[in-house]
Amino acid sequence: MQVVFADSQLRHHPRHFLVSGAPQASPEVPERAERLLAAVRRAGHVVVAPADHGPGPRAAVHTPEYLQFLETIVARWRRIEGASEEVVPNVHPNGRGAGARAGGYPASAVGQAGFHMADTACPMAEGTWEAATASANTAAHAASLVASGAPAAYALCRPPGHHAFADMAGGFCFLNNTAIAAQVLRDRGAARVAVLDVDLHHGNGTQGIFFARPDVLTVSIHADPARFYPFFWGHADERGEGPGEGFNLNLPLPRGTGDEGFLDALDRAARRIRAFAPDGLVLALGLDAFEGDPLAGLTVTTPGFGRIAAAVARLGLPSVIVQEGGYLCDGLADNLVSALAGFESAHTLAEPALGA
């Protein structure tokens, strides 16, 4: 399988985020990508650098004011006397009250940080914008490979993306790589695209981007958000809205669910995806559902990732695999190798390649 990776993704290096109000070292560090990259190379996968796909793919799923914010906020933040080293919001509109997040737009850097950042888990500094755009290019390039006839491609994206909304960062994510890949497939000839998110955490940003659209089915299997991040999204009654009603499926799992429970949910997801009859698939591959992941929510095993990926592959769709979560632990590299091997062992295209 072709693997797409850009070295400049390593230039984002967040130092801290808040956990229950206490500052802790961020787990979303460059070493994550370095370990995953070394693993795919040891497994014999071909690694290619993405082309510069320009602003179009990210502009197709994000608002222009949000993209302008991401590109300029670090320099503007540096001009604030006494500001923190990294851009971290200290005020949020919270979506409450008449006109909140729907009317006036703040002029100040501090106000815009609160407007465009859902939480304190996505600090920005020099290198963040460059790494985020490289990550988006990585997803766009993998999707372009699949749209051009490759049966599958793996986008080793970092920073991750599935918590980023059209106009809001969150949960270590800035640009929504999964949504970008899905939109590239749509633009390159897929009438319908399914997104399947198997990360530990609900793909709330991806859901938000496509929530009112019937051409992209979004399905997420994740730890129940009643007591787990992202808390406010990912519940089973979120089905889409307007033209998109019925095109969103959430399958929250109890904390501690392991391989068999996850695979049972995946069977339900696969039935919905087959009913949708998509022309292409984006698999948002989180490895943080692992039993040894430091974020500790589910208990999927290393062989379990191979079984999960094989079940996805048996859908027989042109597939873009986009890296989402999965944090530093002894099993991180092995989990990726298991997932890619499981996918390759079972993947056969049931339909001609996109555009054929």
Side-chain angles (χ1 to χ4, degrees), residues 149-170:
Y154 168 57
L156 206 178
C157 292
R158 189 268 160 187
H162 72 151
H163 295 308
F165 287 79
D167 68 345
M168 190 166 60

Side-chain angles (χ1 to χ4, degrees), residues 13-315:
H13 196 158
R15 305 298 176 180
H16 303 96
F17 77 132
L18 294 182
V19 179
S20 302
Q24 294 189 13
S26 176
E28 208 298 280
V29 292
E31 187 181 349
R32 292 182 59 236
E34 292 169 337
R35 289 195 192 184
L36 296 173
L37 181 63
V40 295
R41 284 180 167 150
R42 285 195 303 270
H45 297 283
V46 175
V47 180
V48 299
D52 184 354
H53 289 259
R58 54 186 184 262
V61 299
H62 293 288
T63 66
E65 66 182 10
Y66 176 60
L67 293 171
Q68 182 179 357
F69 163 81
L70 291 178
E71 186 171 8
T72 63
I73 186 59
V74 172
R76 295 170 58 210
W77 196 264
R78 291 284 183 265
R79 296 196 292 266
I80 302 172
E81 184 176 355
S84 57
E85 179 183 354
E86 299 176 306
V87 178
V88 180
N90 59 276
V91 60
H92 299 276
N94 204 29
R96 296 176 182 169
R101 282 190 58 83
Y105 182 70
S108 78
V110 173
Q112 288 179 13
F115 189 93
H116 287 301
M117 302 172 88
D119 51 49
T120 62
C122 41
M124 299 181 66
E126 283 79 6
T128 298
W129 172 246
E130 184 179 4
T133 55
S135 192
N137 274 328
T138 296
H141 196 84
S144 294
L145 291 173
V146 171
S148 297
Y154 168 57
L156 206 178
C157 292
R158 189 268 160 187
H162 72 151
H163 295 308
F165 287 79
D167 68 345
M168 190 166 60
F172 311 141
C173 302
F174 304 94
L175 298 174
N176 195 310
N177 306 310
T178 291
I180 286 168
Q183 188 62 48
V184 168
L185 292 184
R186 282 286 292 111
D187 293 342
R188 293 284 300 272
R192 294 177 304 283
V193 174
V195 173
L196 173 59
D197 193 320
V198 297
D199 191 275
L200 169 64
H201 305 93
H202 175 247
N204 55 331
T206 311
Q207 172 179 291
I209 287 170
F210 296 119
F211 205 56
R213 287 175 53 173
D215 58 325
V216 178
L217 173 72
T218 47
V219 181
S220 182
I221 305 171
H222 51 271
D224 190 339
R227 294 182 180 274
F228 205 70
Y229 186 90
F231 301 109
F232 311 110
W233 304 273
H235 302 275
D237 60 354
E238 298 161 16
R239 301 179 53 250
E241 65 182 8
E245 186 172 357
F247 292 87
N248 187 82
L249 174 66
N250 289 328
L251 298 168
L253 301 175
R255 293 282 289 274
T257 296
D259 295 355
E260 301 308 323
F262 200 105
L263 287 161
D264 286 345
L266 184 55
D267 185 61
R268 293 178 59 194
R271 291 198 298 270
R272 182 65 59 87
I273 291 169
R274 290 191 180 99
F276 180 63
D279 303 301
L281 172 75
V282 179
L283 173 63
L285 179 63
L287 300 171
D288 44 0
F290 178 52
E291 59 185 350
D293 190 273
L295 298 190
L298 301 177
T299 57
V300 173
T301 66
T302 297
F305 283 108
R307 295 172 65 193
I308 289 166
V312 175
R314 285 193 287 271
L315 290 166

Side-chain angles (χ1 to χ4, degrees), residues 1-2 43 45 152 306 309-310 313 321 337-348:
M1 182 183 304
Q2 285 201 65
H45 297 283
I321 303 172
V337 171
S338 176
L340 295 184
F343 188 92
E344 289 190 316
S345 72
H347 189 247
T348 55

